[in-house]
Amino acid sequence: MDAYTIALCDVRREDVAAAGEKGANLGGLIRAGFRVPPGFVVTTTAYRDFLRAAGLHACDPAETYQRIPNAVVPDQIVEGVLEAFGDLGARAVAVRSSGTAEDLADASFAGQYDTFLDVAGEQALIDAVRRCWASLWTPRAVAYRRAREWSDDVALAVVVQEMVDAEWAGVLFTADPVTGRPDQIVVEAVRGLGEKLVSGEATGQRYVVSKDSAAGVLSAPSDAGLPPGLIAQLAWSAREAERHFGGPQDLEWAYAEGECALLQARPMTALPDEPTEPTHPGEPVPVGSGRGRSRGLTRRAAMAADHVPFPPYPMDNSLTVRPVVRGLVRMMASAGLAAPAAEDLLTEVADGVLQVRPPAIRFTPRVVVRLPARLPRLVATIRTQPERWMAHYRTTLLPLLERVDQVDLSTWSDEALLDHVAEIQRAQGRLVASRFGAAVPRVLADRVVAVLLSLTLAPARARTSHADLMSDIPSVTRTVNDELDRLAATVAATPELAEIYDRAEPDAIPGRLARTPVGAAFLEEVVEFLRHYGYRQPTMSMAGFPTMGETPAVVHRLVKALAGRNAAGRCKEGTGRNRFVAVREDLRRERSARARALVPLVLAMTRIARTGTSFREDSHAFLFMRPAAAQRRLLLELGRRLVDRGTLASATDIFFLEFDEVRQGAERAGEVVERRRSARDRVLPTYRVLPDPEPAGPEDGGRTIRGVPASPGTVSGQVRIIRDEEGFGDLAAGEVLVCAFTNPAWTPLFALAGAVVTDAGGAASHAAIVAREYGIPAVMGTGTATSLLRDGQRVSVDGTRGTVTLLPGPTGLPEPG
């Protein structure tokens, strides 16, 4: 081959250093018999010789980027490129960058380097090649590499191909990029050139096709107008390309004059895990799996929706979402696993609204070197002791949080407020890995307890014994719930307070309490409660969401609901130390040979598991809730100043801006806020932080909804749907609490509920833990309960099997005829 050019048909896999990944992949397609537009590659040798001749080989990225477009290309390189161009004989060409480190299984670099279409003429070609070289040094490409901790010692080849005058063009995924299903092909097509589709300028027609050629198109747009036979050509290309490259591929294609040509092939990155069948009754199955219906959300999506039930605000994206995803990517890469760039895992589904696409974990040869090197650090992280973690928290992060409460924030400069937000974020980030390291072995201990009990006792007794062993666990969540119950008991026992809570709206209760000595004294108790626990957030543990301290009506609603329970004489039967002690003693009295062998191990692992549950609850409050509340106070102070300056209409509008936008002084901030507010409102009704198939309706003729079994037992009762904290006071004793999600701020209601059913969450969620604490059945992750059930319907909740069944009656199904 020529030092500066190589024909595409001659490029082999071993030429990747000269032709780049795109060039090598196209050469492989040509040799495998695929139709690929003819062309040639301008090699990395040409790029390096150009840099040296222009004196740019030692410049920093910014200078290199600025100077390349105007630098002189040496004559010998120009001659080589124009000779290859003349041999091609094309009227116009497509000029595409081909990096030596792009289109990889763990890094797509999609959109990082430039492409130029319909390039005609010799000078235009040289200019396009030069602009491709410059794209190696754009700020976005440099940031992309450095986010992955990759060196800037890279080179760029350029692919020049005959331009296809496409009638249709688009992209083709040989596995479903959303669900991960390997048996389905996804095609996106537009009329004309495909560049407007891949650049995001146009929305294409979307087709889902079975990889089995006999099954055909599974879904298509109503205005489908593709030429006959095109889908069949694309399906063949998908199957053969995947077979050739040995894995799922992202292909670009163009169709003209009855034939389809491939323009690009690269491995699919960030492919979700393939959906799996359930291993026991009640475990959710993605829709379309062929087994039953209404199996709820996938377990991963259900847990994610429990923690992130609403779209994080743009400020939360910058303070929480992106740092967490980047941390995950760094962790994977350091172990040698295939680690897509963080940007590849985040999809902006609307202006300022992000959705996370979890990466498929794949091993690479780097694991052999990196994982053993990281193993000592990994072991040290897992061996973190909860008490040591808490001590570290008290000396590092806690002082930063307490300072926010102790000083007059109005005396701080704007810069000081933002610096403190960033300092909290950094201190928080340093504690995350060790927090999860301390939790992991203790969570595993809980699973070991469940397995050992299943080997020792009958299935039903094993499940109830497990729940009882995990009751009465000290934690900040239990302390908060006990304090609220104490306040409610005071109200129930004091006629003057009971009358106020019974008759006044929650927002008016503080004013009513302040009018009398008895009421004022009780109000001070509520204020003291908020002084200690007002940092807790009823919605989400992120800075964009209000705390209980900002919305004391939430506390008054809880007290009102619990006071009604106390007045009715209903106590928390079966909860507390009695259940734990009783089941422990029952196990010690078991006399079978298997029990005598396993019970000591069960109790030993139980001690570890109980410590883990306590630590998980407490560390969540201290690592996520308290920092978010402190950051919120700092940002609201700055937001109020921006309102005074006429920049924002409301202090809370600051959460519609990214942290760096605030730091740099966002131009036209009001317009940005309104645009993002509208975008958020549009996606709010259907938002999920992880993509997940929509769950189907109820099964058994419309009677049964399935979810994750979370707390054993069976209870029948009337449905009460609580959609947010404003409905806390609506729940009556013994009703089935049905809600989209819960977090620790909701759990006081569990003392009142007969059972709990949620759209989101799983067996390890806060709600499940507290449900087991109170000994009430719970079914999590149904995906549909709040939309399919109605207030007043009678249902049977089976927390052992994970089912919610409508019962006959005037508010449920019709009575049998």
Side-chain angles (χ1 to χ4, degrees), residues 12 90 288 316 386 400 479 554 566 656:
R12 301 185 178 276
D316 298 320
L400 298 175
T479 300
V554 172
N566 279 279
F656 283 99

Side-chain angles (χ1 to χ4, degrees), residues 20 43-44 47-48 50-51 56 60-62 64-66 68-69 96-102 109 111-116 128-146 150-158:
T43 66
T44 56
Y47 167 77
R48 290 194 173 97
F50 161 72
L51 282 191
L56 297 173
D60 63 52
T64 303
Y65 174 57
Q66 291 173 355
I68 282 180
R96 294 183 170 92
S97 304
S98 179
T100 56
E102 69 168 321
F109 278 78
Q112 299 303 311
Y113 306 142
D114 286 344
T115 290
F116 302 96
V129 169
R130 194 162 36 196
R131 288 159 68 192
C132 282
W133 287 338
S135 70
L136 187 63
W137 301 104
T138 61
R140 69 172 185 268
V142 173
Y144 189 102
R145 289 194 296 271
R146 292 180 178 176
W150 285 22
S151 168
D152 278 337
D153 185 16
V154 290
L156 194 77
V158 178

Side-chain angles (χ1 to χ4, degrees), residues 54 220 251 267 426 532 636 664 681 722 724 735 778 804:
L251 307 173
R426 287 191 293 270
H532 287 284
L636 284 175
Q664 296 164 9
D681 289 344
I722 306 296
D724 52 42
E735 289 184 325
V804 182

Side-chain angles (χ1 to χ4, degrees), residues 338-359:
E343 290 76 6
D344 287 345
L345 304 183
L346 296 171
T347 300
E348 191 167 20
V349 295
D351 191 352
V353 179
L354 295 181
Q355 189 178 58
V356 181
R357 296 185 180 275

